[in-house]
């Protein structure tokens, strides 16, 4: 019996194709080619004669790997390292593709998410793909949970002529931390003068604007989103009080208890309404309380968010130019010190098809003790605006915290591996009061007392103290 932890197991490989890309059918063909090479016979012909063969599928994967595994230096130490690494990969082939199971379960369960989609001569081409592996339904040595199968696939992809690069896919993670507290980022970001909101005084509160959020779910009947006259689902409708569009085509309509997406969305567009009709001033009103939201659900159940791909995500909220032009992403992948294919996707889309979109992302929460170079993907990319987390003020900080001019200790630091300055800006993200998801309660809202971290963390069933760069990013987005 597979446990819950195993069934939630998920890994991926990011693949970039050669310039010009390939069509969607070509992605599956690449996998079929690798599979064919894995089982090709190498008994009779020499490696060199196979390489000259017109039918490249007769070249076995081991032969191709041997031909492409070279070292540029003759130094003994380099050769020793090369041979050691070669032996590791060679052993993976032996215990992976060349085993009797042939890693068949892995091949059959691979899910393909296209990346970098564009139309070429009337056909949809992709510049890359994420190959997603999930747990087998029964015990199987030929699944992706056998690391030798996954390593064998990396070998096969790396020698395929249509593949430009291969890298391990980092898991998407939400950028919040377990710290609790409260602040009011409206006046801090508008003037840094207590309770002075010059933008609001001039009528600039987001009215008439739509902001996009992609996250794990949204509690649509929390009092900061509640609309008693309209169903929040069922396509675009800008007449709704708060939710102009809820895209559940990738995931579902569910939000977990104390869900991350409800926090993030509320910090941007939240506006209290106890009856779902009339607006009120609330403890957790957003930085753009007059705006509305288009929400893209990235999570099925409670198994964590998944990556829908840049094209699908952006086309959803952009709505052919009639949707949102500002989008928030309070999530990211672990940073491995390299300019990744994940960045190439986002930078490419923001430079070309969606050049009029501002994509605001959280920097990450791995900067404890001031560690440099810890900023996450896609905050380290060139085109998104990366946001770090600063502290708050007055009753909204603890006695040992210094105030709004100081960075939260967990906020991820730059620079990037190629020396670019990141994050781009910082904003209050530590001790933010935000709408709290209670999916089994309708209309959950503020408590009776004004929030103060120095007095109590009990604010009410519908609001909650949260901290992290996940909270700083929507402050800037609003």
């Amino acid at each position: 019996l597979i446990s819950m932890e195993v069934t939630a197991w998920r890994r991926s490989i990011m693949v970039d194709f050669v310039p010009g890309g390939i069509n969607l059918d070509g992605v599956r063909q690449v996998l079929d080619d690798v599979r064919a090479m894995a089982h090709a016979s190498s008994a009779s012909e020499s490696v060199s004669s196979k390489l000259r063969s017109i039918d490249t599928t007769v070249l076995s994967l081991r032969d191709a790997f041997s031909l492409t595994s070279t070292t540029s230096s003759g130094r003994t130490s380099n050769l020793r390292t090369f041979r050691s690494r070669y032996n590791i990969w060679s052993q993976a082939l032996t215990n992976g593709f060349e085993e009797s199971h042939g890693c068949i379960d892995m091949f059959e369960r691979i899910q393909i998410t296209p990346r970098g989609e564009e139309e070429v001569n009337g056909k949809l081409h992709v510049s890359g793909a994420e190959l997603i592996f999930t747990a087998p339904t029964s015990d199987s040595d030929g699944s992706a949970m056998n690391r030798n199968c996954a390593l064998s696939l990396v070998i096969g992809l790396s020698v395929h002529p249509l593949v430009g690069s291969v890298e391990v896919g980092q898991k998407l993670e939400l950028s919040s931390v377990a710290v609790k507290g409260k602040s009011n980022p409206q006046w801090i970001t508008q003037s840094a003068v207590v309770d002075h909101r010059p933008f609001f005084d001039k009528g600039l509160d987001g009215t008439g604007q739509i902001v996009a959020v992609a996250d794990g779910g949204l509690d649509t009947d929390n009092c900061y989103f509640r609309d008693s006259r309209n169903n929040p689902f069922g396509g675009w409708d800008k007449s709704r009080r708060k939710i102009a569009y809820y895209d559940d085509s990738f995931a579902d309509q569910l939000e977990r208890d104390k869900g991350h997406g409800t926090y993030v969305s509320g910090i941007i567009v939240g506006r209290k309404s106890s009856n779902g009709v009339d607006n009120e001033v609330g403890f957790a009103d957003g930085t753009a309380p007059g705006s509305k939201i288009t929400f893209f659900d990235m999570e099925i159940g409670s198994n964590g968010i998944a990556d829908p791909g840049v094209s699908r995500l952006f086309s959803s909220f952009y709505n052919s130019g009639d949707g949102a032009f500002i989008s928030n992403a309070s999530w990211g992948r672990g940073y491995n010190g390299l300019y990744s294919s994940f960045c190439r996707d986002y930078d490419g889309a923001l430079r070309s098809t969606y050049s009029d979109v501002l994509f605001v992302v959280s920097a990450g929460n791995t900067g404890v003790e001031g560690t440099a170079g810890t900023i996450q993907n896609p905050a380290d990319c060139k085109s998104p605006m990366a946001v770090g987390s600063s502290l708050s003020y007055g009753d909204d900080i603890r006695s040992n915290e210094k105030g709004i001019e100081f960075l939260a200790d967990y906020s991820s630091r730059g620079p990037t591996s190629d020396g670019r300055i990141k994050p781009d800006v910082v904003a209050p993200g530590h001790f933010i009061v935000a709408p709290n998801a209670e999916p089994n309660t309708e209309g959950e809202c503020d408590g009776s007392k004004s929030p103060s971290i120095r007095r109590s963390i009990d604010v009410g069933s519908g609001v909650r103290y949260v901290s992290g760069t996940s909270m700083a990013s929507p402050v800037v987005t609003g």
Side-chain angles (χ1 to χ4, degrees):
L1 182 66
I2 307 297
S3 68
M4 179 61 70
E5 288 76 13
V6 173
T7 56
W9 182 90
R10 184 180 183 276
R11 299 292 187 272
S12 70
I13 291 175
M14 309 289 278
V15 182
D16 274 353
F17 301 114
V18 295
I22 60 177
N23 60 37
L24 292 175
D25 292 336
V27 180
R28 178 58 67 179
Q29 185 59 54
V30 167
L31 291 176
D32 290 343
D33 291 345
V34 171
R35 191 170 182 178
M37 291 176 71
H39 301 293
S41 170
S42 60
S44 57
E45 295 182 89
S46 69
V47 170
S48 58
S49 65
K50 287 180 183 177
L51 187 63
R52 291 192 298 268
S53 172
I54 294 176
D55 183 4
T56 58
T57 59
V58 302
L59 180 66
S60 76
L61 185 52
R62 181 169 290 278
D63 288 343
F65 176 56
S66 298
L67 285 164
T68 57
S69 300
T70 61
T71 178
S72 59
S73 172
R75 293 176 57 183
T76 301
S77 59
N78 288 344
L79 287 171
R80 188 180 299 116
T81 301
F82 164 73
R83 287 169 182 153
S84 175
R85 291 175 177 172
Y86 177 86
N87 289 337
I88 292 172
W89 289 98
S90 179
Q91 191 65 36
L93 272 179
T94 300
N95 297 324
F97 282 180
E98 294 175 351
E99 265 286 356
S100 58
H101 54 66
C103 300
I104 292 176
D105 186 87
M106 178 188 70
F107 278 108
E108 291 180 345
R109 296 180 61 82
I110 289 178
Q111 301 172 15
I112 300 172
T113 299
R115 297 170 32 242
E117 298 167 274
E118 63 176 342
E119 192 169 295
V120 178
N121 296 326
K123 293 185 178 181
L124 192 63
H125 277 56
V126 297
S127 63
E130 182 174 15
L131 308 181
I132 300 171
F133 310 110
T134 55
T137 54
S138 60
D139 189 23
S140 171
D141 291 334
S143 75
M145 295 187 76
N146 177 350
R147 67 175 184 176
N148 294 302
C149 286
L151 290 173
S152 294
L153 180 58
V154 170
I155 293 172
L157 292 169
S158 68
V159 301
H160 195 286
L162 293 181
V163 174
S165 67
V166 183
E167 61 186 86
V168 175
Q170 301 291 330
K171 182 182 179 182
L172 282 178
E173 297 176 344
L174 302 172
S175 304
S176 60
V177 294
V179 185
K180 302 181 180 69
K182 182 258 178 188
S183 80
N184 190 341
Q186 293 174 342
W187 64 262
I188 295 176
T189 53
Q190 291 185 33
S191 70
V193 176
V194 179
D195 288 333
H196 180 44
R197 299 171 175 83
F199 294 177
F200 289 0
D201 293 343
K202 297 294 184 180
L204 300 174
D205 66 352
T207 298
Q209 299 297 313
I210 296 177
V211 182
V213 172
D215 215 290
L218 177 61
D219 190 348
T220 59
D221 61 16
N222 178 286
C223 72
Y224 284 87
F225 309 101
R226 189 179 184 187
D227 186 344
S228 60
R229 294 179 296 190
N230 296 290
N231 184 335
F233 308 108
W236 280 89
D237 185 349
K238 296 180 182 180
S239 69
R240 297 186 185 118
R241 192 181 82 88
K242 277 292 157 188
I243 305 171
Y245 181 45
Y246 191 119
D247 189 342
D248 60 348
S249 63
F250 180 74
D252 53 30
Q253 298 175 359
L254 303 178
E255 169 69 310
R256 65 173 74 188
D257 189 53
K258 300 178 175 62
H260 188 270
T262 299
Y263 300 151
V264 170
S265 301
I267 291 171
I268 304 172
V269 309
R271 186 70 181 269
K272 179 181 175 181
S273 176
S274 300
N275 61 10
V277 177
D278 302 311
N279 292 328
E280 311 164 48
V281 176
F283 296 148
D285 281 346
T287 52
S291 64
K292 300 182 181 183
I293 191 173
T294 168
F295 188 86
F296 189 97
D297 198 325
M298 300 173 68
E299 181 177 29
I300 298 177
S302 57
N303 290 328
I305 59 173
D307 181 12
V310 177
S311 296
R312 184 168 183 176
L313 176 60
F314 280 29
S315 63
S316 171
F317 71 71
Y318 194 71
N319 193 31
S320 300
D322 192 36
F325 295 89
I326 303 175
S327 179
N328 183 85
S330 289
W331 39 261
R333 298 176 186 262
Y335 182 58
N336 58 10
L338 300 173
Y339 183 76
S340 67
S341 58
F342 198 52
C343 275
R344 285 192 288 273
D345 287 348
Y346 280 96
D347 286 339
L350 292 166
R351 186 178 60 250
S352 56
T353 311
Y354 301 99
S355 60
D356 52 352
V357 167
L358 177 61
F359 189 52
V360 187
V361 300
S362 55
N365 302 318
T366 55
V368 176
E369 298 180 352
T371 306
T374 51
I375 196 159
Q376 69 180 9
N377 260 183
D380 67 310
C381 304
K382 298 175 182 179
S383 299
M385 175 180 284
V387 184
S389 175
S390 58
L391 301 179
S392 193
Y393 175 86
D395 287 341
D396 305 337
I397 58 175
R398 299 194 187 279
S399 59
N400 62 338
E401 293 174 340
K402 295 183 177 180
I404 63 176
E405 297 295 331
F406 292 84
L407 198 66
D409 62 351
Y410 50 77
S411 187
S412 293
R413 271 74 164 171
T416 64
S417 60
D418 54 0
R420 288 176 290 111
I421 297 174
K422 289 285 182 173
D424 300 291
V425 296
V426 296
H430 193 60
F431 294 159
I432 305 292
V433 64
N436 178 52
E438 286 194 351
N440 295 323
T441 303
E442 182 176 355
E444 65 272 27
C445 206
D446 294 353
S448 58
K449 292 182 179 181
S450 176
S452 171
I453 189 60
R454 299 189 179 193
R455 179 174 60 246
S456 171
I457 64 171
D458 183 15
V459 184
S461 63
V463 292
R464 180 177 174 83
Y465 301 111
V466 289
S467 290
T469 59
S470 269
M471 314 310 149
S473 179
V475 166
V476 171
T477 301

